[in-house]
């Protein structure tokens, strides 16, 4: 052993005959170009694939410095910097351009031991082809991922929620925090404020986004069918049950999210069953004696005051506290009028594309009327009003005449304080009195003016001022 060490003094022990022979046996059959060089950049091992690629016999290359074989070699630079070059584009002296790795191997002191190199792609075109195939695969995978989300998941994200008002920012911020957890979420808000939109967004931003998003409207399903709808049923569970039974919404939502809308309308019997599901994480289909484990994230919504329902005994207190882990209050449109401009802009574009009519904007006067209205139906009502206006519009812009009368009437009634101006009250009473008189007389303006105690000309003038039309107010002209 001592003699062997003496014989190899000044030479890296890694490159004794046994080591080189072993490396050749390992790497020669491999059809990938591989090379090993010592710290002086002399070739100590090269497999047949690489020798053939360079156009030299192996015995001609072994022992030579790499610059004598390929004057473009970067091994001296790699050893100088002691940094690997990964997937480096290199043009050899014979004209071949390839993608290569050059990796310096260091000892514990940071000194060069040897260098390992390989050709990753023997020509750049091969590399480009692989990249294109990979890009196509990524695109295809992304497409099917999106299709899976479209079929089984939620449609909307936080980008779909329009509004920069303080209250809307607070609601969105809380919802984004909720999305990062699996905790139950309770969405509170009037009809048309966008509770379902928030539910979609929370699911899409969370860790369950690639799993199902199942919606159930508790108020739309008869109480006697709600249990089988939520938990499913076994074959023969009741008259008319499907052969083979049916999976319930909770099972369909497994690993994903179930959204129970109008939870305040859930019957008390079902409230007890839902509480058990939340506690035990299992369901029992109708007609079955076995339970099934589920892993579901629950989002609920209501436009009712659950605390009041609890006090009245109409909603279980224990269920309320189970649901009320994260409560998000979605503001009504009248409390965020600063969002109306942007809402109208987005909705007009969306509706115009849907109905196929080119309308791009809204006049300032029409927008002022919209902003002064109280919107009891919130964004849903606003969207309906804008759709009607787009259909009726004779130009590319919505104007006051395109808005429904009740919106314009409300505009005249608006006031800033708790007391209406006397002028508004008088106009309101006058209009209602005229309409009732015309309905009573079936549109006979002469008789109506007599009943009201005003001249016929005054009646005509007030009808014009208030926009009263015989046809519009459902009376027959005489």
């Amino acid at each position: 052993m001592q003699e062997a060490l003496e014989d190899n003094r000044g030479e890296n022990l890694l490159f004794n005959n046994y080591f080189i022979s072993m490396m050749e046996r390992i790497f020669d059959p491999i059809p990938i170009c591989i090379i090993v060089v010592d710290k002086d950049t002399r070739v100590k091992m090269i497999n047949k694939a690489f020798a053939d690629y360079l156009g030299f016999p192996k015995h001609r290359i072994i022992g030579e410095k790499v610059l004598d074989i390929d004057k473009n070699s970067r091994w001296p630079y790699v050893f100088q910097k002691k940094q690997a070059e990964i997937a480096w584009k290199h043009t050899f002296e014979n004209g071949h351009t390839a993608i290569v790795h050059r990796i310096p191997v260091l000892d514990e002191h940071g000194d060069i031991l040897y260098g390992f190199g390989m050709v990753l792609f023997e020509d750049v075109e091969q590399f480009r082809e692989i990249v294109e195939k990979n890009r196509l695969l990524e695109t295809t995978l992304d497409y099917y991922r999106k299709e899976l989300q479209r079929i089984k998941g939620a449609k909307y994200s936080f980008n779909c929620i329009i509004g920069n008002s303080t209250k809307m920012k607070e609601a969105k911020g809380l919802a984004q925090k909720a999305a990062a957890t699996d905790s139950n979420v309770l969405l509170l808000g009037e009809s048309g404020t966008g509770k379902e939109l928030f539910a979609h967004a929370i699911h899409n931003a969370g860790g369950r986004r690639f799993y199902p998003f199942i919606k159930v409207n508790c108020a739309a399903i008869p109480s006697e069918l709600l249990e089988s709808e939520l938990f499913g049923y076994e074959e023969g569970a009741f008259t008319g049950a499907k052969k083979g039974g049916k999976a319930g919404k909770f099972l369909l939502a497994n690993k994903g999210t179930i959204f129970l809308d109008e939870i305040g309308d859930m019957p008390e019997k079902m409230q007890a069953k839902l509480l058990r599901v939340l506690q035990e994480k299992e369901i029992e289909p109708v007609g079955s004696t076995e339970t099934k484990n589920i892993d579901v994230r629950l989002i609920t919504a209501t436009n009712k005051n659950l605390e009041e329902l609890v006090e009245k005994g109409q909603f279980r207190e224990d269920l309320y506290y189970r649901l009320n882990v994260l409560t998000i209050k979605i503001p009504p449109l009248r409390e965020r009028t600063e969002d109306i401009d942007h809402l109208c802009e987005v909705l007009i574009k969306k509706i115009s594309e849907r109905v196929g009519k080119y309308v791009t904007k809204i006049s300032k006067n029409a927008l002022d009327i919209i902003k002064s209205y109280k919107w009891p139906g919130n964004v849903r009502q606003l969207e309906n009003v804008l759709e009607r206006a787009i259909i009726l519009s004779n130009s590319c812009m919505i104007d006051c005449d395109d808005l429904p009368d009740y919106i314009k009437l409300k505009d005249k009634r608006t006031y800033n304080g708790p007391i209406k101006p006397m002028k508004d009250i008088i106009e309101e009473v006058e209009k209602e009195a005229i309409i009732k008189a015309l309905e009573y007389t079936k549109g006979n303006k002469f008789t109506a003016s007599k009943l009201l105690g005003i001249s016929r000309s005054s009646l005509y003038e007030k009808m014009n001022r208030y926009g009263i039309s015989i046809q519009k107010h459902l009376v027959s002209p005489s």
Side-chain angles (χ1 to χ4, degrees):
M1 182 67 178
Q2 182 64 34
E3 290 178 2
L5 289 173
E6 292 289 336
D7 291 341
N8 288 287
R9 184 176 294 136
E11 183 178 339
N12 195 322
L13 288 176
L14 287 168
F15 300 119
N16 59 40
N17 290 336
Y18 174 77
F19 180 71
I20 295 297
S21 175
M22 182 181 66
M23 291 186 70
E24 285 181 340
R25 286 198 303 271
I26 293 172
F27 292 118
D28 240 21
I30 297 175
I32 297 173
C33 300
I34 293 173
I35 190 172
V36 176
V37 299
D38 66 15
K39 62 183 179 180
D40 298 320
T41 73
R42 291 185 183 278
V43 179
K44 303 303 290 185
M45 193 285 300
I46 187 169
N47 68 348
K48 186 176 184 304
F50 205 169
D52 292 344
Y53 182 74
L54 294 174
F56 295 104
K58 284 179 60 176
H59 70 269
R60 165 73 178 80
I61 300 173
I62 298 295
E64 298 290 331
K65 286 197 171 186
V66 289
L67 286 175
D68 294 332
I69 304 301
D70 174 26
K71 66 180 182 181
N72 298 328
S73 176
R74 291 177 55 84
W75 274 113
Y77 180 82
V78 169
F79 281 176
Q80 181 185 356
K81 294 294 184 183
K82 297 181 181 180
Q83 291 181 348
E85 291 181 345
I86 304 298
W88 195 276
K89 182 181 176 183
H90 179 74
T91 301
F92 292 91
E93 191 174 348
N94 61 9
H96 292 318
T97 299
I99 305 297
V100 304
H101 291 338
R102 299 184 190 92
I103 304 170
V105 179
L106 312 179
D107 64 16
E108 64 272 18
H109 304 297
D111 296 324
I112 297 291
L113 283 175
Y114 62 93
F116 177 84
M118 66 181 292
V119 175
L120 193 61
F121 297 102
E122 294 185 11
D123 61 69
V124 175
E125 286 305 314
Q126 183 186 22
F127 176 65
R128 288 199 185 103
E129 185 180 343
I130 295 293
V131 170
E132 286 301 318
K133 285 181 178 178
N134 187 62
R135 185 180 292 122
L136 179 61
L137 182 62
E138 286 284 338
T139 303
T140 305
L141 186 62
D142 186 57
Y143 169 77
Y144 283 112
R145 188 183 289 119
K146 287 178 179 177
E147 279 297 292
L148 183 63
Q149 274 190 282
R150 184 183 66 82
I151 295 168
K152 298 183 72 177
K155 296 185 289 184
Y156 308 110
S157 68
F158 282 110
N159 292 331
C160 300
I161 300 175
I162 303 164
N164 290 312
S165 60
T166 302
K167 288 190 176 182
M168 186 53 86
K169 281 182 178 178
E170 288 176 359
K172 286 171 70 173
L174 190 55
Q176 286 166 337
K177 289 180 180 178
T181 74
D182 264 351
S183 298
N184 296 336
V185 176
L186 175 61
L187 301 171
L188 300 177
E190 298 176 6
S191 178
T193 51
K195 296 187 293 295
E196 184 174 334
L197 196 64
F198 269 80
H200 280 251
I202 291 169
H203 172 80
N204 259 337
R208 298 175 182 263
R209 60 186 174 277
F210 295 118
Y211 293 96
F213 176 79
I214 304 296
K215 301 172 291 182
V216 180
N217 189 320
C218 300
I221 302 173
S223 57
E224 62 272 15
L225 299 179
L226 189 56
E227 182 178 1
S228 61
E229 189 70 20
L230 291 179
F231 308 137
Y233 57 81
E234 296 294 311
E235 182 176 340
F238 50 83
T239 304
K242 278 185 179 181
K243 186 177 181 180
K246 180 184 176 183
K249 300 297 187 184
F250 269 91
L251 196 59
L252 293 175
N254 198 33
K255 294 188 178 181
T257 301
I258 188 165
F259 172 50
L260 300 182
D261 199 5
E262 306 297 350
I263 189 71
D265 293 298
M266 178 175 279
E268 191 171 350
K269 176 186 173 183
M270 281 304 303
Q271 292 177 29
K273 292 181 179 290
L274 176 59
L275 179 63
R276 183 180 181 280
V277 170
L278 296 179
Q279 289 173 336
E280 306 298 330
K281 303 293 183 184
E282 61 184 23
I283 59 169
E284 184 177 315
V286 177
S288 174
T289 57
E290 297 180 359
T291 59
K292 296 181 180 181
N293 294 328
I294 54 164
D295 173 20
V296 174
R297 198 261 175 88
L298 178 65
I299 301 177
T300 55
T302 183
N303 58 9
K304 294 185 175 181
N305 188 325
L306 291 186
E307 290 183 358
E308 286 186 3
L309 294 181
V310 168
E311 290 176 3
K312 294 176 181 177
Q314 297 173 1
F315 199 86
R316 291 183 64 107
E317 185 176 15
D318 45 5
L319 177 59
Y320 171 68
Y321 289 118
R322 276 278 181 177
L323 302 178
N324 191 26
V325 177
L326 285 169
T327 301
I328 301 171
K329 294 181 180 179
I330 305 171
L333 190 54
R334 64 182 173 275
E335 292 180 8
R336 57 184 189 104
T337 52
E338 59 266 49
D339 292 331
I340 288 179
D341 295 64
H342 190 204
L343 269 169
C344 286
E345 180 184 340
V346 173
L347 290 174
I348 287 170
K349 181 179 179 182
K350 169 188 164 185
I351 297 165
S352 295
E353 290 174 355
R354 187 175 72 230
V355 302
K357 190 168 181 181
Y358 185 73
V359 176
T360 59
K361 53 187 177 179
I362 183 169
S363 71
K364 184 181 182 305
N365 290 339
L367 189 59
D368 287 342
I369 291 174
I370 284 176
K371 290 170 78 172
S372 66
Y373 184 64
K374 297 304 178 185
W375 298 107
N378 295 292
V379 179
R380 185 183 294 129
Q381 183 188 7
L382 174 61
E383 185 170 358
N384 291 340
V385 166
L386 290 175
E387 181 171 352
R388 175 189 183 277
I390 287 171
I391 293 169
L392 295 179
S393 177
N394 293 319
S395 68
C396 63
M397 180 173 69
I398 295 174
D399 211 341
C400 300
D401 293 339
D402 304 318
L403 300 176
D405 286 342
Y406 74 89
I407 297 289
K408 290 180 280 189
L409 173 62
K410 289 288 183 183
D411 177 52
K412 291 178 181 179
R413 293 181 183 179
T414 55
Y415 55 97
N416 296 322
I419 305 299
K420 292 185 182 182
M422 185 63 71
K423 177 175 175 294
D424 289 354
I425 296 174
I426 293 171
E427 288 180 350
E428 183 178 328
V429 172
E430 274 191 342
K431 180 168 182 175
E432 290 177 359
I434 291 169
I435 291 172
K436 285 183 179 178
L438 289 169
E439 287 175 342
Y440 181 78
T441 62
K442 301 190 183 305
N444 188 313
K445 292 185 280 294
F446 176 79
T447 307
S449 65
K450 290 289 187 184
L451 291 173
L452 292 168
I454 58 174
S455 66
R456 197 170 179 181
S457 60
S458 292
L459 176 61
Y460 288 156
E461 185 218 332
K462 291 181 186 295
M463 286 176 66
N464 287 332
R465 186 198 307 169
Y466 300 136
I468 299 172
S469 164
I470 298 294
Q471 286 76 17
K472 281 185 181 180
H473 291 87
L474 305 178
V475 290
S476 302
S478 55

